[in-house]
Amino acid sequence: MSHVWVFGYGSLVDPASFGDTIGRELQPGIDFHAAEVSGFGRRWNYGVMHGTAMGVGRDGNAIEYTRVALGVVRSAAESVNGVVGRVALDELARLDHRERHYHRVDVSEVASLGEERAEGAIVIYVPRPEAIERYKRARDSGTAAIEQRYWDLVDRAFAAFGEE
């Protein structure tokens, strides 16, 4: 097999963000489709491992925040909407590096593209335990923060798909 489909549920929903990572433009309706994965739930549970953010705490002093991003957890009663992008095997290494604190998991059996049929495997990136623990420590200490730029990117990407 010469490619896989990568399921995106956060910043990868944005075709430009996805395409910048793999080094080429994705074509909606050709190699980039709306999709859904059953058996997972989306969470703000990923403590970004490769950077922090500085801000001002309630006391006026500088404070270092842990940036938080979207992740997924296994949850039999839930499903996650997002996209799939067709990725050549040589491009997959770029995504693996970007998502280096996530496990790549095959979800071919529980992914749906509506009327479209995906030929090949469908994979999703699930946060590694250490990234979830980083988030939990920051949450519990009051130093977890979602970067506005990330929030806006994800919001715009989903809005482009319409109301549903």
Coordinates of all heavy atoms in Angstrom, one line a residue, residues 10 17 21 23 44-45 56 61 64 67 89 91 93 102-103 113-114 116 122 124 131 134 136-137 147:
G10 N -8.5 18.2 15.1 CA -8.1 19.5 15.7 C -7.5 20.4 14.6 O -8.2 20.6 13.6
S17 N -3.0 23.8 7.3 CA -2.2 23.3 8.4 C -1.7 21.9 8.1 O -0.5 21.5 8.2 CB -2.9 23.3 9.7 OG -2.2 22.8 10.8
T21 N 2.3 20.6 6.8 CA 3.1 19.6 7.4 C 3.6 18.5 6.4 O 4.7 18.1 6.5 CB 2.2 18.9 8.5 OG1 1.9 19.8 9.5 CG2 3.0 17.7 9.2
G23 N 3.8 18.9 3.1 CA 4.6 19.5 2.0 C 3.8 19.6 0.7 O 4.5 19.8 -0.3
W44 N -9.9 18.3 25.5 CA -8.8 19.2 25.7 C -7.9 18.5 26.8 O -8.0 18.8 28.0 CB -9.3 20.6 26.2 CG -10.0 21.3 25.2 CD1 -11.4 21.5 25.1 CD2 -9.4 22.1 24.1 NE1 -11.7 22.3 24.0 CE2 -10.5 22.7 23.4 CE3 -8.1 22.3 23.7 CZ2 -10.3 23.5 22.3 CZ3 -7.9 23.1 22.6 CH2 -9.0 23.7 21.9
N45 N -7.1 17.6 26.4 CA -6.3 16.7 27.3 C -4.9 16.6 26.9 O -4.2 15.7 27.5 CB -7.0 15.4 27.4 CG -6.8 14.5 26.2 OD1 -6.5 15.0 25.1 ND2 -7.1 13.2 26.3
V56 N 0.6 36.7 32.5 CA 0.6 37.3 33.8 C -0.4 36.6 34.7 O -1.5 36.4 34.3 CB 0.2 38.8 33.6 CG1 0.2 39.5 34.9 CG2 1.2 39.5 32.7
N61 N 2.4 38.8 38.5 CA 3.7 38.3 38.2 C 3.7 37.4 37.0 O 2.6 36.8 36.7 CB 4.3 37.5 39.4 CG 4.6 38.4 40.6 OD1 5.1 39.5 40.4 ND2 4.3 37.9 41.8
E64 N 4.5 30.8 33.8 CA 4.7 30.0 32.7 C 3.4 29.0 32.6 O 3.1 28.3 33.6 CB 5.9 29.1 32.8 CG 6.2 28.3 31.6 CD 7.6 27.6 31.7 OE1 7.7 26.7 32.6 OE2 8.5 28.0 31.0
R67 N 0.7 24.9 27.4 CA -0.3 25.0 26.3 C -1.0 23.7 26.2 O -0.4 22.6 26.3 CB 0.4 25.4 25.0 CG 1.0 26.7 25.1 CD 1.7 27.2 23.8 NE 1.8 26.2 22.7 CZ 2.9 25.9 22.1 NH1 4.0 26.5 22.4 NH2 2.9 25.0 21.1
L89 N 3.1 7.3 2.1 CA 3.9 6.8 3.2 C 5.1 7.6 3.5 O 5.5 7.8 4.6 CB 4.3 5.3 2.9 CG 3.1 4.4 2.9 CD1 3.6 2.9 2.6 CD2 2.3 4.4 4.1
E91 N 5.3 10.8 3.3 CA 4.8 12.0 3.9 C 4.4 11.7 5.4 O 4.4 12.7 6.2 CB 3.6 12.6 3.2 CG 3.9 13.0 1.8 CD 2.6 13.3 1.0 OE1 1.5 12.7 1.3 OE2 2.7 14.1 0.1
A93 N 6.0 10.3 7.8 CA 7.0 10.7 8.7 C 6.9 12.1 9.2 O 7.2 12.4 10.3 CB 8.4 10.4 8.1
Y102 N 2.0 11.8 20.4 CA 0.8 11.0 20.2 C 1.2 9.7 19.6 O 2.2 9.5 19.0 CB -0.1 11.7 19.1 CG -0.7 13.0 19.5 CD1 0.0 14.2 19.4 CD2 -2.1 13.1 19.8 CE1 -0.6 15.4 19.7 CE2 -2.7 14.3 20.0 CZ -1.9 15.5 20.0 OH -2.5 16.7 20.3
H103 N 0.3 8.7 19.9 CA 0.5 7.3 19.3 C -0.4 7.3 18.0 O -1.5 7.9 18.0 CB -0.1 6.2 20.2 CG 0.7 5.9 21.4 ND1 1.9 5.3 21.3 CD2 0.5 6.1 22.7 CE1 2.4 5.2 22.5 NE2 1.5 5.7 23.4
L113 N -16.6 7.8 6.2 CA -16.5 9.0 5.3 C -17.8 9.3 4.7 O -17.9 9.9 3.6 CB -15.5 8.8 4.2 CG -14.0 9.0 4.6 CD1 -13.5 7.9 5.6 CD2 -13.1 9.0 3.4
G114 N -18.9 8.9 5.2 CA -20.2 9.1 4.6 C -20.4 8.3 3.4 O -20.2 7.0 3.4
E116 N -18.4 8.4 0.8 CA -17.1 8.1 0.2 C -16.6 6.8 0.8 O -16.9 6.4 1.9 CB -16.1 9.2 0.5 CG -16.5 10.5 -0.1 CD -16.4 10.6 -1.6 OE1 -15.5 9.9 -2.1 OE2 -17.2 11.3 -2.2
I122 N -7.0 3.8 7.8 CA -7.3 5.1 8.4 C -6.7 5.1 9.8 O -6.9 4.2 10.6 CB -8.8 5.4 8.4 CG1 -9.4 5.3 7.0 CG2 -9.0 6.7 9.1 CD1 -10.9 5.4 7.0
I124 N -5.4 7.5 13.4 CA -5.7 8.7 14.2 C -4.5 8.8 15.2 O -3.9 7.8 15.6 CB -7.0 8.5 15.0 CG1 -7.5 9.8 15.6 CG2 -7.0 7.4 16.0 CD1 -8.9 9.8 16.2
A131 N 1.8 13.0 27.8 CA 1.2 14.3 27.4 C -0.1 14.6 28.2 O -0.3 15.7 28.5 CB 1.0 14.3 25.9
R134 N 1.0 15.6 31.7 CA 1.4 17.0 31.6 C 0.2 17.9 31.7 O 0.2 18.9 32.4 CB 2.3 17.3 30.4 CG 2.8 18.7 30.3 CD 3.8 18.8 29.1 NE 4.1 20.1 28.7 CZ 5.0 20.9 29.3 NH1 5.8 20.3 30.3 NH2 5.3 22.1 28.9
K136 N -2.8 17.2 32.9 CA -3.4 17.1 34.2 C -2.7 17.9 35.3 O -3.3 18.6 36.2 CB -3.6 15.6 34.6 CG -4.6 14.9 33.9 CD -4.6 13.4 34.3 CE -5.7 12.6 33.5 NZ -5.7 11.2 33.9
R137 N -1.4 17.8 35.3 CA -0.6 18.6 36.3 C -0.8 20.1 36.1 O -1.0 20.8 37.1 CB 0.9 18.3 36.1 CG 1.3 16.9 36.7 CD 2.8 16.8 36.8 NE 3.5 17.1 35.5 CZ 3.7 16.1 34.6 NH1 3.3 14.9 34.7 NH2 4.4 16.4 33.5
E147 N -4.0 28.2 23.7 CA -3.5 29.4 22.9 C -4.6 29.9 22.0 O -5.3 29.1 21.2 CB -2.3 28.9 22.1 CG -1.6 30.0 21.4 CD -0.3 29.5 20.7 OE1 -0.2 28.3 20.4 OE2 0.5 30.4 20.5

